[in-house]
């Protein structure tokens, strides 16, 4: 048995998880999601939320660099589920649902716009002047430390 932990805000997470799955080639994979939804329903939920998050972010007044980072993060929302579903579809492996609070099944964007507007007020001038690649690299480095330290 292999237990792979992921970090939800890992910009490289989809690539890392796909690499691990195809390297280890498990015949059974578990997905932290409540039973009762089809694979297609799960895929649609995360895809819909990604689209909603992106729309809200694109309309926010966040500084461009921070908005760009948040959009990239919204584009990987639910990668753990979607990458796992893709792997199972490509390889035919068995998907096993592990019990999880149903809060995941009702994930929504309620309050996101207001939270983003509040966040925009507190972003430092240093961040506002930073190049996007520098910010992204810093975020990836922090996530790497969480995996490897």
């Amino acid at each position: 048995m292999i237990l792979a932990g992921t970090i939800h805000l890992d910009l490289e997470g989809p690539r890392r998880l796909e690499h691990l799955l195809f390297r280890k080639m498990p015949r059974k994979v578990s997905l932290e999601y409540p039973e009762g939804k089809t694979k297609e329903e799960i895929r649609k939920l995360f895809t819909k939320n990604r689209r909603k998050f992106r729309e809200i972010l694109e309309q926010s007044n966040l500084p461009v660099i921070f908005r760009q980072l948040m959009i990239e993060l919204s584009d990987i929302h639910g990668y753990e589920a979607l990458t796992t579903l893709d792997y199972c579809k490509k390889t035919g492996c068995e998907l096993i649902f592990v019990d999880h609070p149903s809060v995941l099944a009702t994930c929504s964007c309620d309050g996101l716009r207001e939270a983003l507007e509040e966040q925009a007020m507190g972003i430092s001038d240093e961040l506002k002047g930073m190049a996007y690649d520098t910010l992204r690299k810093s975020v990836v480095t922090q996530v790497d430390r969480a995996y490897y330290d």
Side-chain angles (χ1 to χ4, degrees):
M1 177 195 286
I2 300 167
L3 181 60
T6 59
I7 297 175
H8 301 300
L9 299 176
D10 181 1
L11 293 168
E12 300 294 328
R15 181 189 57 77
R16 293 181 212 249
L17 181 56
E18 181 180 59
H19 175 79
L20 176 70
L21 288 170
F22 279 98
R23 184 166 180 233
K24 297 296 182 182
M25 294 297 292
R27 293 181 308 243
K28 295 180 182 182
V29 178
S30 65
L31 180 60
E32 186 181 17
Y33 201 88
E35 279 189 284
K37 297 244 186 239
T38 66
K39 294 174 188 176
E40 194 52 40
E41 287 172 324
I42 295 168
R43 183 178 301 287
K44 283 181 182 177
L45 174 72
F46 282 109
T47 303
K48 177 182 163 187
N49 282 340
R50 282 180 175 184
R51 191 172 48 252
K52 281 183 183 179
F53 292 153
R54 181 180 260 279
E55 288 170 7
I56 290 169
L57 288 162
E58 287 173 346
Q59 296 171 10
S60 74
N61 69 351
L62 292 170
V64 174
I65 185 173
F66 191 67
R67 183 173 54 237
Q68 188 176 352
L69 176 66
M70 295 304 293
I71 287 172
E72 189 172 354
L73 286 169
S74 75
D75 289 345
I76 65 163
H77 170 71
Y79 80 84
E80 302 89 345
L82 296 173
T83 302
T84 301
L85 291 172
D86 288 344
Y87 172 78
C88 290
K89 186 175 184 177
K90 291 174 184 173
T91 64
C93 84
E94 182 181 352
L95 181 65
I96 302 167
F97 291 96
V98 247
D99 195 12
H100 190 282
S102 62
V103 68
L104 275 180
T106 59
C107 182
S108 77
C109 301
D110 295 344
L112 179 61
R113 186 180 318 274
E114 294 79 13
L116 286 171
E117 301 302 327
E118 188 176 308
Q119 285 291 331
M121 302 295 183
I123 295 175
S124 72
D125 290 334
E126 178 183 331
L127 178 64
K128 292 176 185 176
M130 188 182 288
Y132 181 71
D133 290 341
T134 304
L135 175 62
R136 188 184 191 285
K137 183 177 179 181
S138 173
V139 170
V140 170
T141 299
Q142 293 299 317
V143 170
D144 285 346
R145 284 188 188 135
Y147 279 123
Y148 303 117
D149 286 354

